[in-house]
């Protein structure tokens, strides 16, 4: 875990900028925010990180060029109070695309598997000028080592086809290519637990 550190409240502005940079060309976020994307993503991620940091769910590298939001088993679902607290930033960030954004978020929550109990990679991104340095891989690897020690699988959704090979190198496999009524597809992925069992297989 030496390559990763738990983020603090002071890190929120820098890490919101990291995620905005990482998702700037993402197909789903480009569809949700066709204009003024960097500013609007910063608004959204600032509000989200500010709520997740106190829970200890935001991780980064010593240089603050990678941001990861990582939920422990049973804690992936956002409470209703989260939406109430973030209503203002969500409105300012999504503007005319509020209905589209809320629809995609609610659909993803509905499709999220109830079991088996799992760790959840909600977001992970590397600042554009630090890509290719291996820092994102080190942060993800440090988090996955924690899951291995716990003996439970890890779940994520990828919104960019180009990132699938990155996750596959870390032991993830595509579970489903998810199509929607509108907008780009996404991919759900599972990483087996330390016994090598497929999630939900009972083996």
């Amino acid at each position: 875990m030496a390559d990763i550190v738990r983020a603090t409240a002071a890190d929120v502005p820098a890490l919101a900028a990291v995620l905005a940079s990482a998702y700037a060309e993402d197909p789903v976020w480009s569809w949700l925010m066709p204009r003024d994307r960097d500013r609007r993503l910063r608004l959204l991620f600032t509000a989200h990180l500010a709520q997740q940091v106190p829970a200890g769910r935001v991780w980064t590298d010593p240089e603050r060029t990678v941001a990861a939001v990582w939920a422990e088993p049973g804690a992936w679902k956002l409470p209703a109070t989260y939406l109430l607290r973030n209503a203002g930033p969500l409105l300012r960030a999504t503007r005319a695309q509020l209905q589209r954004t809320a629809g995609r978020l609610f659909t993803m929550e509905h499709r999220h598997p109830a079991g088996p109990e799992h760790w959840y990679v909600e977001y992970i991104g590397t600042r554009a000028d630090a890509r290719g340095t291996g820092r994102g891989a080190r942060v993800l690897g440090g988090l996955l080592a924690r899951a291995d020690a716990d003996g439970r699988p890890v779940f994520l959704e990828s919104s960019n086809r180009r990132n699938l090979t990155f996750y596959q190198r870390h032991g993830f496999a595509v579970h489903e290519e998810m199509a929607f009524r509108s907008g780009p597809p996404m991919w759900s992925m599972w990483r087996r637990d330390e016994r090598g069992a497929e999630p939900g297989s009972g083996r």
Side-chain angles (χ1 to χ4, degrees), residues 38-84:
D38 179 73
R39 185 187 67 81
R40 294 163 72 183
L41 282 173
R42 287 182 189 230
L43 275 172
L44 197 66
F45 285 128
T46 295
H48 187 58
L49 294 175
Q51 292 218 29
Q52 297 289 34
V53 161
R57 297 184 184 129
V58 183
W59 296 82
T60 185
D61 63 321
E63 296 78 21
R64 276 43 176 190
T65 60
V66 179
V69 183
W70 166 259
E72 62 271 21
W76 60 267
K77 190 171 184 178
L78 296 174
T81 53
Y82 171 90
L83 294 176
L84 293 174

Side-chain angles (χ1 to χ4, degrees), residues 1 5 11 13 16 19 30-31 42 55 60 72 88 90 124 140 160-161 196 202:
M1 301 284 280
V5 294
D11 295 320
L19 289 177
S30 296
W31 171 67
R42 287 182 189 230
T60 185
E72 62 271 21
L90 185 62
I124 184 166
L140 181 58
N160 193 334
R161 185 188 296 272

Side-chain angles (χ1 to χ4, degrees), residues 14-24 45 49 58-61 64-69 121-131 135-137 139-140 143 163 166-167:
L15 297 186
V18 166
L19 289 177
S21 174
Y23 288 95
F45 285 128
L49 294 175
V58 183
W59 296 82
T60 185
D61 63 321
R64 276 43 176 190
T65 60
V66 179
V69 183
V121 183
E122 184 180 9
Y123 294 107
I124 184 166
T126 302
R127 200 173 64 204
D129 63 359
R131 289 176 195 158
R135 294 175 186 176
V139 170
L140 181 58
L143 295 173
N163 293 335
F166 170 77
Y167 294 124

Side-chain angles (χ1 to χ4, degrees), residues 163-185:
N163 293 335
L164 299 183
T165 55
F166 170 77
Y167 294 124
Q168 288 165 342
R169 287 197 298 270
H170 286 273
F172 287 89
V174 173
H175 174 68
E176 179 188 8
E177 180 173 344
M178 298 178 286
F180 302 89
R181 290 183 179 180
S182 60

